Amino acid sequence: MFFKSIQKKMNAKQFGFYFLILFLPIFMFGIFGPTEIFFGNYSELGFVYGEFGWKFLICGVLLSFVLTFIFLFLPDMIRKPLLALIWGSSIAGYIQVMFLNKGIDQIGVTAEGYIPDTSTSLKNGIFWILILVIALVITYLAKSVWKKILIITAGILLGVQLVGYISLFITADSNAFHYAEGEPCLSSEKQYTVSSKDNVILFVLDTFSNYFLDTALAMYPDLTTGMNDFTYYNNADCNYYGTYPSLAHMLTGHELDTTQSVDDYLYSCWNNTTTDDYYNLLKSHNYTVNLYTPLTDLLTGTNSVDIMSGKIDNITTANSNRVIDYKKLYKTMLTMSCYRFVPEYFKPNYDVKNEQYESIVSYPENEIQYSNPNFYNNLVATKLSADDSSNYFTIQHLNGTHEFINDENCQYDYDNATIESTVKGIFTMIYEYLDQLKALGVYDNATIIITADHGQERNSQVVFFIKEPLETHDTLQVTNAPITLNELVPSIVESIGEDYSEFGQSIHDFTPDQKRERTVYVRAKDPGFPSVKKFDSDAEGGANIYRTYTYTGTLNDLTTLYDTYSFGVIPMIDSYF
């Protein structure tokens, strides 16, 4: 009797109809979505398609078959509205991804994540409700043609996306499918090693705006009391909003050329006469230059890490001993897909932290510590050691306030972390580092710079602390001299006792209250300009122009320009993000 019931219900047309309606959202959300995200970002994600893609495809098809089989046995009064709502959600989700997501904040780009305003959420919610109501109306009122409407629209949407899905594989390069073994990369071996002689130590704390510091100081007034030997520049401009191009600019002094592609600009950063002279000068003073960041694409693009050879000393050869957190991988890809698919109101619930997707792949034998808690905990556990073979120029690129992920003790606290707790935790980490330098007897002679690659989009100025060799004060010195990160390279050259004029001006060339015109470049997406591709794929870039804000004064003058839309425009060749 049971098998006769199954045979009766297993009508091929019915089965095909249910399968189509159910497979469409599963394909959109669980197969095509993660695949499109991967191919647009695989160079940053660090894993190949085979780690998840085929599994998602097979599981998606099997899940659709199982759900179809279940739907065959549901009462019509339950099955019919469910089909209508699933179909309506698929239509609304497709429109959301293709047309309504334009200009939304990219995942992992800002500390706060994407927070839509009330008006946007309300309008978007009304759109979704309207689509779902129309789907129910069609299902119940157009009784003679509702199935045909659902089949035709679902078939068209599925067909369009299948074509897009297949094209992703045709246009992708081999790096999306195969790990590049034996490729040059940065070694983590001496991340906690300094020189027993002279040191230049540069902390680049991602996205640490001086606004964040001021916010934290309101809660923790004694936050900077341990920085008594430092001078704090509270009016420091980052030149470029975004770790690209700012980090490469900081390490080479090479200013952005907007007529060049990302790859060409990054290559020219490391291969020009001035950069050569800078690093040769460091070598002539017996400096070993060690750079610690897991984000080498920001410095090389699709070029090999070898373009930094002769400048950066801790370049080694990658090994294949990688560990993949598959649970985190699957969760991250599906969460990223949800972020694109769901209505505006729910998007903040699917914010993926930069630290989350960067920690999917790890190399236990060569793990560069980037997150504040990991760096701090390893610092406490392993301690700094001193090497007497050379002087050291050490560059530590850390998470900073890119996301709020740690408490005031610099431990992970995803649920409760705030601007204040994250900043307090950063100072816990910095003070531990400084104390260990003192314990080794190398603090006094060191040049120590604590800054950031950029701030927020609106509050783009950065923190900038510097302690120069043998500099001591009773309290932290504060100045509003109008400096920029253009002065970083010249100031480092000055700190080792050399003439810096070839490289520009030093921070000491500017005085408190001085009026100086400065310009910051802020990437943006403007529909009035042609879209551009991402630098490493055929995916559409997240930006297509730079907005240039030219101001004289302080952060208040800059934010006034931002709030009044007073900017120039420079089109991009391609987009890093």
Side-chain angles (χ1 to χ4, degrees):
M1 193 76 178
F2 175 72
F3 292 105
K4 284 185 178 179
S5 174
I6 292 177
Q7 277 186 320
K8 184 178 178 181
K9 292 181 179 292
M10 282 290 283
N11 177 285
K13 286 186 177 179
Q14 281 288 92
F15 189 91
F17 169 58
Y18 297 151
F19 181 84
L20 175 63
I21 302 304
L22 293 168
F23 182 61
L24 175 60
I26 289 173
F27 179 78
M28 290 172 62
F29 160 70
I31 300 171
F32 181 55
T35 299
E36 190 172 37
I37 290 167
F38 169 79
F39 282 113
N41 302 278
Y42 65 85
S43 64
E44 299 167 52
L45 293 172
F47 49 84
V48 297
Y49 186 72
E51 301 289 7
F52 78 96
W54 309 123
K55 299 169 191 174
F56 278 22
L57 176 60
I58 293 168
C59 289
V61 172
L62 291 177
L63 179 61
S64 299
F65 272 109
V66 170
L67 290 176
T68 301
F69 190 77
I70 292 171
F71 260 67
L72 289 170
F73 293 90
L74 289 177
D76 197 54
M77 63 181 295
I78 296 176
R79 179 172 55 212
K80 199 169 182 179
L82 276 179
L83 285 171
L85 292 173
I86 291 169
W87 173 71
S89 297
S90 300
I91 299 292
Y94 179 80
I95 295 171
Q96 182 75 46
V97 171
M98 293 300 297
F99 305 107
L100 303 183
N101 281 347
K102 301 294 184 183
I104 67 168
D105 183 53
Q106 300 169 76
I107 294 176
V109 169
T110 61
E112 300 90 339
Y114 179 56
I115 304 174
D117 59 66
T118 304
S119 174
T120 300
S121 294
L122 183 61
K123 291 176 184 176
N124 190 247
I126 291 171
F127 160 76
W128 272 79
I129 292 170
L130 185 62
I131 293 293
L132 295 178
V133 169
I134 291 172
L136 288 169
V137 169
I138 290 173
T139 302
Y140 282 98
L141 297 186
K143 294 183 179 179
S144 60
V145 294
W146 75 276
K147 282 188 178 180
K148 186 176 290 186
I149 292 173
L150 265 63
I151 289 170
I152 291 173
T153 52
I156 291 172
L157 285 185
L158 184 59
V160 167
Q161 289 178 93
L162 278 169
V163 171
Y165 178 70
I166 294 168
S167 70
L168 291 172
F169 295 90
I170 296 172
T171 57
D173 63 47
S174 62
N175 290 331
F177 305 101
H178 306 288
Y179 290 111
E181 304 296 354
E183 288 289 307
C185 65
L186 297 178
S187 169
S188 66
E189 182 182 0
K190 295 185 177 180
Q191 186 166 12
Y192 298 98
T193 303
V194 294
S195 173
S196 60
K197 302 174 182 177
D198 291 334
N199 289 278
V200 175
I201 299 167
L202 172 63
F203 279 95
V204 182
L205 303 170
D206 212 315
T207 322
F208 198 165
S209 72
N210 52 21
Y211 167 77
F212 284 168
L213 179 64
D214 292 342
T215 301
L217 280 168
M219 179 175 287
Y220 304 104
D222 60 347
L223 186 67
T224 59
T225 54
M227 306 288 289
N228 53 292
D229 295 328
F230 285 76
T231 299
Y232 176 54
Y233 286 78
N234 66 10
N235 188 17
D237 187 87
C238 67
N239 298 112
Y240 310 107
Y241 168 72
T243 308
Y244 172 86
S246 185
L247 188 59
H249 168 242
M250 293 175 74
L251 301 190
T252 65
H254 194 63
E255 295 186 39
L256 179 65
D257 183 347
T258 57
T259 67
Q260 291 184 306
S261 67
V262 168
D263 279 344
D264 288 345
Y265 167 68
L266 290 174
Y267 183 86
S268 67
C269 279
W270 296 101
N271 293 274
N272 66 82
T273 301
T274 305
T275 300
D276 289 345
D277 289 348
Y278 172 49
Y279 281 93
N280 287 337
L281 198 57
L282 291 168
K283 303 298 181 187
S284 72
H285 282 255
N286 197 30
Y287 275 94
T288 294
V289 183
N290 290 331
L291 166 64
Y292 300 101
T293 177
L295 311 176
T296 53
D297 291 341
L298 288 157
L299 297 168
T300 64
T302 62
N303 300 296
S304 166
V305 171
D306 272 341
I307 67 171
M308 300 190 292
S309 292
K311 283 87 175 177
I312 304 301
D313 291 310
N314 62 319
I315 294 177
T316 187
T317 301
N319 62 59
S320 58
N321 183 20
R322 69 178 59 82
V323 174
I324 295 176
D325 186 335
Y326 286 100
K327 183 179 179 181
K328 184 179 285 187
L329 167 59
Y330 303 150
K331 177 184 176 182
T332 299
M333 296 309 294
L334 290 174
T335 304
M336 285 179 164
S337 188
C338 271
Y339 179 81
R340 302 193 327 155
F341 190 86
V342 300
E344 296 282 343
Y345 178 80
F346 297 104
K347 288 190 189 298
N349 298 327
Y350 299 98
D351 174 44
V352 174
K353 300 293 187 184
N354 197 53
E355 191 271 341
Q356 178 177 325
Y357 65 75
E358 283 173 4
S359 62
I360 290 170
V361 183
S362 61
Y363 295 84
E365 295 178 5
N366 187 31
E367 189 76 9
I368 290 178
Q369 302 303 333
Y370 169 74
S371 76
N372 306 329
N374 286 350
F375 181 85
Y376 172 72
N377 290 332
N378 276 273
L379 176 65
V380 171
T382 64
K383 304 294 184 183
L384 293 179
S385 61
D387 175 12
D388 62 3
S389 65
S390 69
N391 298 322
Y392 269 54
F393 180 10
T394 303
I395 304 152
Q396 305 280 8
H397 177 216
L398 302 175
N399 179 78
T401 53
H402 194 291
E403 294 103 11
F404 309 138
I405 59 173
N406 60 260
D407 62 19
E408 61 183 21
N409 297 312
C410 207
Q411 301 303 306
Y412 282 112
D413 187 6
Y414 290 110
D415 295 332
N416 303 302
T418 61
I419 293 175
E420 293 87 352
S421 72
T422 301
V423 172
K424 182 69 164 64
I426 287 171
F427 275 86
T428 298
M429 173 183 70
I430 292 295
Y431 288 143
E432 177 65 27
Y433 197 94
L434 297 181
D435 287 343
Q436 291 195 26
L437 290 177
K438 293 172 183 176
L440 289 172
V442 300
Y443 171 83
D444 291 340
N445 287 338
T447 295
I448 305 170
I449 300 172
I450 302 164
T451 185
D453 47 358
H454 61 91
Q456 299 169 285
E457 182 176 332
R458 181 176 180 270
N459 303 295
S460 62
Q461 285 197 341
V462 294
V463 297
F464 193 98
F465 295 89
I466 183 169
K467 185 204 79 71
E468 297 181 82
L470 304 179
E471 182 179 3
T472 60
H473 320 120
D474 292 332
T475 59
L476 173 70
Q477 306 297 292
V478 180
T479 175
N480 67 356
I483 66 167
T484 76
L485 293 181
N486 277 331
E487 286 81 67
L488 182 60
V489 166
S491 298
I492 290 171
V493 173
E494 182 185 30
S495 76
I496 65 173
E498 288 285 351
D499 178 10
Y500 58 86
S501 58
E502 176 189 354
F503 308 100
Q505 293 176 289
S506 156
I507 56 173
H508 299 116
D509 291 330
F510 302 95
T511 57
D513 299 321
Q514 180 179 341
K515 297 299 181 184
R516 180 189 182 191
E517 185 176 271
R518 293 171 290 173
T519 298
V520 62
Y521 287 59
V522 178
R523 67 177 184 273
K525 185 83 169 180
D526 190 328
F529 289 81
S531 61
V532 298
K533 292 181 179 179
K534 278 198 68 182
F535 79 102
D536 58 352
S537 72
D538 286 328
E540 184 177 326
N544 61 347
I545 64 164
Y546 287 106
R547 291 175 176 169
T548 57
Y549 297 89
T550 300
Y551 66 106
T552 302
T554 65
L555 177 62
N556 289 335
D557 299 289
L558 175 57
T559 54
T560 297
L561 291 179
Y562 187 91
D563 293 340
T564 57
Y565 301 96
S566 304
F567 54 81
V569 174
I570 300 176
M572 289 182 177
I573 302 295
D574 57 1
S575 175
Y576 182 89
F577 297 98

